[in-house]
Amino acid sequence: MSSEATQFIANSKPSMYLQDAAEVQKVFERFDANGDGKISAEELAGVMKALGSDSSADEIDRMMQEIDSDKDGFINLEEFASFCKGDSLYGCADGGDGGLKELHDAFELYDQDHDGFISVTELHQILTRLGERCSTDDCASMIKSVDSDGDGRVNFEEFKTMMTNKA
């Protein structure tokens, strides 16, 4: 799997980070662009493209095959929830490092200029691509809530703390 696909999986699969069924439902609905209650390969590819990933059709197919446990060609809410809980290969393939690689891949997706920090601008760009309606002030507030050193940016350690804390 390409690093972009891994980044997408780590980012789009909040796995251990999704706290409840309402959050899982909200993320599922974001992927289910046509609102038919299932995620198609085309919808998955569309989200990946919005994230700036140029995943191949083969990579999309592999992701679909792994998550689509009933093999009907679509990801339903139950399959997506299992994926988010880490019941699938992509959901828990942490290589024994507790998900550190996936966290780092997700961090790199947000850190668009690869300077080791997520800025307000970078966070706003990614969330906007994902269809979130948020202002730069909203993004600044999000960053401030996890910015333990007060530098106005999120470094990997702050990101890791944020993503692994159960709220």
Side-chain angles (χ1 to χ4, degrees), residues 81-153:
S82 289
F83 168 71
C84 290
K85 286 188 291 188
D87 294 346
S88 73
L89 173 66
Y90 293 119
C92 63
D94 63 17
D97 67 1
L100 195 58
K101 181 181 182 335
E102 284 77 9
L103 275 176
H104 199 274
D105 287 346
F107 179 82
E108 288 180 354
L109 178 68
Y110 283 89
D111 179 18
Q112 304 236 313
D113 63 6
H114 306 292
D115 68 352
F117 300 96
I118 300 169
S119 69
V120 171
T121 302
E122 289 168 325
L123 179 61
H124 187 256
Q125 286 173 344
I126 290 292
L127 293 179
T128 300
R129 283 184 192 157
L130 289 171
E132 284 292 327
R133 291 186 178 155
C134 61
S135 68
T136 53
D137 287 342
D138 294 333
C139 292
S141 294
M142 286 181 229
I143 285 184
K144 186 175 182 180
S145 72
V146 297
D147 180 17
S148 59
D149 62 10
D151 67 356
R153 314 175 289 185

Side-chain angles (χ1 to χ4, degrees), residues 8 30-31 33 39-53 55 60 129-130:
F8 168 77
R30 173 80 27 123
F31 285 82
I39 299 168
S40 67
E42 292 78 20
E43 288 167 325
L44 181 58
V47 171
M48 292 187 71
K49 185 174 182 167
L51 287 169
S53 174
S55 297
I60 298 288
R129 283 184 192 157
L130 289 171

Side-chain angles (χ1 to χ4, degrees), residues 66-86:
E66 175 58 34
I67 301 167
D68 177 22
S69 60
D70 67 7
K71 305 301 178 204
D72 68 351
F74 297 94
I75 300 169
N76 64 33
L77 180 58
E78 182 179 325
E79 291 164 336
F80 187 74
S82 289
F83 168 71
C84 290
K85 286 188 291 188

